[in-house]
Amino acid sequence: MKRYTLVVAALLSLMGCNSDFLTVSPQTYQSAGNFFQTKDQFIQATNGAYAPLQFLYSGTNAGPGGSFWALAEMRSDNTSYQYNTGDRSGFPLEELDEFREINTNSTVADFFNRSYSGIARCNVILGRIQNAQIDAATKTQVIGEASFLRAFYYFNLIRLYGNVPAVFDEVTSTDAAFAIAQPKAPGEIYPTILNDAKTAITNLPDSYTANTDKGRATKGSARMLLAEIYMTQKNFSEAAKELQVIVQSGKYQLNASYADNFNIAKENGPESLFEIQYIEGSNAEFSNFIYTFAPWNSGSKVAALGVASGAAAGWNMPTQDMLDAYEANDQRKAASIGLDFTDPATNKVVPYVRKYQSVHSIRYQTGSNFPVYRYADVLLSLAECLNEIGYSAGGEAFTYLNQVRRRAGLTDKTAGQVASQEAFRQAVAKERQVELAFENHRWFDLLRTGKAVEVMTAHAAREKAAKSYVINTAYQTISLTLPYPLREMQLIPK
């Protein structure tokens, strides 16, 4: 009884305490209250703002949230999935491939949430750093990196979902969170992300000297992002200016071999403007998308350490449309696509993405980076912009297009072969499809050029004719945006 009385008294004394008792920041642990004070803390926070990218780009066994390739490659005519009769648990990804996803699709929701996690981290950094007592050089770089990342996260959200919430400040209360949940049209968000990209260009260095800084955003990656935003807005003149600065800087060049871009020993090389960094080992920094892209029943014949025979593999598989896109003698085909696995059940060859295969020692834990921007993309984008500004037979646009073709072992395109602005558009589109295959560009290219419905309608007809398991409701509507996640809709006041 005495013990009971003491407990009640203690509880009553707590109830009578000032509410500030519950909001005091711990003095021996890092928290929002005592963090963001030093140079090292801001650098650590910036590293954390990059972290969601690792999850978005790498397919993991922890869940489908790392399936950016499902939204940007499988959504297009480049890739599909290997039908797995033994494990039918991959429905969210199959739905995305066949345009029959619903607003409870886990991949749709996860990409949305992870992107806003990155944005929230950038918002805190950009808000807290203004009055921070740290050296000017660190402050400048951190502002540049956080601005680049916020623009990048938002650009992908706009292109995939259309209308999304515009959150550009740290959210400090529940009421504030609900107040900003209402989605805004892209036109209301583009001015801020354009300004973020420009701020990044101003603040970021051309390169970094320390190996530990490899993978951070630079002026080149920020210029490429700004150019891509301009191209999406059909502002080809401004895009061309940014791309020409990259070319004229002399800081980038095509690798002699296309395959070198995906060689784990040559990551962050002379052609790389920005790539998602991974480290092999049990450190939570690894990637494993090479297993995801292997046939689900390939065992150790594709990934050296073996692939599970389940829904964790058999995704992002090259389609027949993708195979047919390559010209004869194109060296990129063998470097990108494996045609050496035969399904023992059907005795048919199963194509798979080969370009990221790497030697590693721990199953499902590789150090393979994922490329975001390469110099080949710069050259092809500049060729496209110059053609949109005005077609010129045998002009400068041909020079940039043919630089990429020559590296692939192909002959130059001539004005006789490509004799109009529309013909050049088609030539660039085809070159981008094979050069940037499986690098999350194809769906965005189709959207940007207004070809998504036309290309995917024709692709759907071929897929249905070739695959008996494609259900009737597949491809009924070629939706240009993903459904807004149901949970987020339920949280919106209106």
Side-chain angles (χ1 to χ4, degrees):
M1 187 64 180
K2 187 180 295 183
R3 186 182 302 124
Y4 172 79
T5 303
L6 290 173
V7 170
V8 171
L11 289 173
L12 288 172
S13 68
L14 285 174
M15 291 172 64
C17 290
N18 187 290
S19 61
D20 289 344
F21 174 82
L22 300 177
T23 58
V24 173
S25 298
Q27 298 302 307
T28 56
Y29 298 96
Q30 290 182 343
S31 69
N34 60 19
F35 199 70
F36 298 103
Q37 305 294 323
T38 68
K39 168 184 175 178
D40 289 343
Q41 286 174 339
F42 273 101
I43 291 174
Q44 185 179 343
T46 304
N47 293 343
Y50 283 93
L53 292 176
Q54 288 185 315
F55 188 86
L56 292 174
Y57 277 84
S58 178
T60 71
N61 289 329
S67 308
F68 197 178
W69 41 266
L71 308 179
E73 289 287 337
M74 278 177 50
R75 192 77 167 167
S76 78
D77 54 336
N78 275 8
T79 62
S80 184
Y81 60 91
Q82 181 189 14
Y83 190 71
N84 182 350
T85 57
D87 188 339
R88 307 295 299 129
S89 60
F91 288 125
L93 296 174
E94 293 182 9
E95 290 171 358
L96 286 163
D97 179 61
E98 297 172 352
F99 290 82
R100 50 187 179 86
E101 73 284 346
I102 55 178
N103 60 10
T104 56
N105 185 286
S106 56
T107 300
V108 170
D110 230 356
F111 190 93
F112 186 96
N113 294 332
R114 296 277 178 170
S115 296
Y116 272 105
S117 174
I119 289 169
R121 295 177 186 189
C122 293
N123 288 343
V124 174
I125 293 167
L126 291 170
R128 300 288 184 98
I129 201 170
Q130 299 304 322
N131 299 318
Q133 301 301 307
I134 61 175
D135 65 278
T138 300
K139 182 177 288 191
T140 297
Q141 180 182 323
V142 167
I143 290 173
E145 290 184 84
S147 296
F148 168 84
L149 290 169
R150 185 167 70 175
F152 186 74
Y153 284 122
Y154 260 118
F155 186 42
N156 288 328
L157 284 168
I158 288 172
R159 292 188 292 176
L160 289 172
Y161 298 86
N163 298 348
V164 295
V167 190
F168 296 111
D169 295 297
E170 180 180 356
V171 179
T172 58
S173 71
T174 304
D175 289 343
F178 280 108
I180 60 177
Q182 192 71 35
K184 303 292 184 182
E188 297 181 72
I189 300 174
Y190 267 123
T192 302
I193 66 174
L194 281 168
N195 184 65
D196 276 350
K198 293 173 184 177
T199 298
I201 293 170
T202 300
N203 287 38
L204 289 171
D206 290 315
S207 60
Y208 299 88
T209 55
N211 285 335
T212 53
D213 287 328
K214 284 185 177 180
R216 294 189 183 279
T218 63
K219 284 189 188 295
S221 45
R223 284 194 190 280
M224 185 63 214
L225 171 61
L226 180 58
E228 193 175 21
I229 296 170
Y230 279 140
M231 290 176 71
T232 301
Q233 296 181 315
K234 309 297 183 187
N235 191 345
F236 296 106
S237 295
E238 289 301 316
K241 291 177 185 178
E242 300 299 332
L243 296 165
Q244 285 167 334
V245 172
I246 297 173
V247 171
Q248 293 164 7
S249 72
K251 295 185 178 298
Y252 305 97
Q253 63 184 36
L254 295 178
N255 282 312
S257 168
Y258 177 77
D260 283 349
N261 287 296
F262 319 105
N263 185 332
I264 197 169
K266 299 181 180 182
E267 292 175 335
N268 303 302
E271 191 169 336
S272 174
L273 277 76
F274 187 59
E275 54 191 83
I276 310 303
Q277 307 293 305
Y278 297 98
I279 303 172
E280 178 183 348
S282 53
N283 46 34
E285 303 289 340
F286 58 84
S287 65
N288 61 18
F289 48 83
I290 69 167
Y291 287 90
T292 306
F293 300 166
W296 66 265
N297 55 346
S298 58
S300 59
K301 295 179 181 178
V302 171
L305 302 181
V307 177
S309 57
W315 303 107
N316 213 29
M317 312 297 279
T319 62
Q320 189 60 48
D321 284 3
M322 183 74 248
L323 297 174
D324 293 342
Y326 291 92
E327 297 175 42
N329 303 317
D330 190 331
Q331 297 170 5
R332 293 170 294 197
K333 184 174 184 179
S336 301
I337 299 175
L339 295 170
D340 53 350
F341 173 70
T342 301
D343 186 341
T346 64
N347 202 34
K348 293 181 179 179
V349 171
V350 179
Y352 64 91
V353 175
R354 163 180 277 161
K355 71 194 307 180
Y356 302 115
Q357 292 292 322
S358 64
V359 176
H360 56 287
S361 57
I362 305 176
R363 191 168 183 253
Y364 285 109
Q365 297 179 9
T366 81
S368 296
N369 287 355
F370 202 107
V372 177
Y373 292 133
R374 292 193 287 113
Y375 189 56
D377 189 2
V378 174
L379 296 174
L380 293 175
S381 295
L382 183 51
E384 180 179 336
C385 288
L386 294 175
N387 181 61
E388 293 300 328
I389 294 168
Y391 172 79
S392 175
E396 190 178 5
F398 280 85
T399 300
Y400 298 125
L401 173 67
N402 288 329
Q403 272 187 255
V404 177
R405 288 180 58 79
R406 286 186 207 126
R407 200 261 301 271
L410 301 175
T411 58
D412 286 358
K413 289 288 187 182
T414 66
Q417 298 168 318
V418 186
S420 68
Q421 186 180 52
E422 180 56 33
F424 196 91
R425 285 185 185 122
Q426 295 176 15
V428 170
K430 183 62 68 177
E431 208 63 43
R432 288 183 64 83
Q433 183 179 16
V434 294
E435 173 68 30
L436 305 173
F438 323 126
E439 296 177 41
N440 295 353
H441 291 278
R442 178 61 172 170
W443 175 244
F444 295 134
D445 283 353
L446 293 176
L447 288 176
R448 179 171 51 77
T449 58
K451 295 289 186 181
V453 174
E454 174 189 335
V455 169
M456 294 309 298
T457 299
H459 171 72
R462 290 188 289 270
E463 288 287 280
K464 286 185 173 182
K467 300 175 178 178
S468 60
Y469 54 81
V470 177
I471 63 178
N472 292 334
T473 56
Y475 305 105
Q476 284 188 342
T477 300
I478 306 300
S479 176
L480 302 184
T481 55
L482 297 172
Y484 204 79
L486 177 62
R487 179 179 177 275
E488 300 304 316
M489 290 178 64
Q490 292 172 331
L491 294 173
I492 296 173
K494 298 180 183 179

